[in-house]
């Protein structure tokens, strides 16, 4: 794909995935910046927005996502935005 930025991408590690109860999103950003994680349903309804403020570059950060009790499995989408960078992917919850 076309890369606008030359400083590298947000690195993301999701575990476990699929998950039963809680999933850990581990990430590192390539340059310092205001960082937000948004978790949505597959159809785009926002479930959780977490504003981390300004984070340091190339440092590992963790966020644990535990869906509410009424959510009975299925797929979610995470989106990590920082400066002009974005990383996105699926989280699969099994019951």
């Amino acid at each position: 794909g076309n890369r606008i930025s030359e400083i590298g991408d947000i690195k993301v590690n999701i575990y476990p995935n699929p998950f039963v109860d809680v999933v850990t999103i581990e990430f590192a950003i390539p340059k310092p910046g205001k960082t937000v994680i948004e978790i949505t349903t597959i159809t785009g309804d926002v479930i959780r927005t977490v504003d981390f403020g300004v984070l340091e570059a190339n440092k590992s950060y963790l966020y644990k996502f535990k869906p509410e009790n009424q959510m009975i499995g299925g797929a979610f989408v995470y989106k990590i935005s920082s400066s002009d960078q974005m990383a996105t992917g699926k989280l699969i919850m099994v019951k």
Side-chain angles (χ1 to χ4, degrees):
N2 294 339
R3 295 262 180 237
I4 301 162
S5 160
E6 296 171 7
I7 46 167
D9 296 315
I10 297 173
K11 294 179 178 62
V12 186
N13 186 19
I14 309 287
Y15 54 90
N17 195 21
F19 70 100
V20 175
D21 188 37
V22 62
V23 61
T24 298
I25 301 172
E26 181 180 7
F27 65 96
I29 57 176
K31 65 180 183 184
K34 180 171 155 45
T35 305
V36 175
I37 291 184
E38 194 175 74
I39 295 176
T40 67
T41 61
I42 288 297
T43 52
D45 297 319
V46 177
I47 298 168
R48 192 92 30 97
T49 303
V50 187
D51 188 340
F52 288 87
V54 175
L55 297 184
E56 294 174 40
N58 303 311
K59 188 176 166 189
S60 191
Y61 292 95
L62 295 181
Y63 172 65
K64 291 187 187 300
F65 172 58
K66 186 179 167 83
E68 307 299 331
N69 294 337
Q70 68 266 24
M71 297 181 188
I72 36 84
F76 305 95
V77 176
Y78 71 85
K79 187 171 86 179
I80 303 172
S81 318
S82 180
S83 304
D84 52 357
Q85 303 273 308
M86 194 180 92
T88 184
K90 269 190 191 158
L91 306 171
I92 310 294
M93 183 184 186
V94 290
K95 277 290 182 194

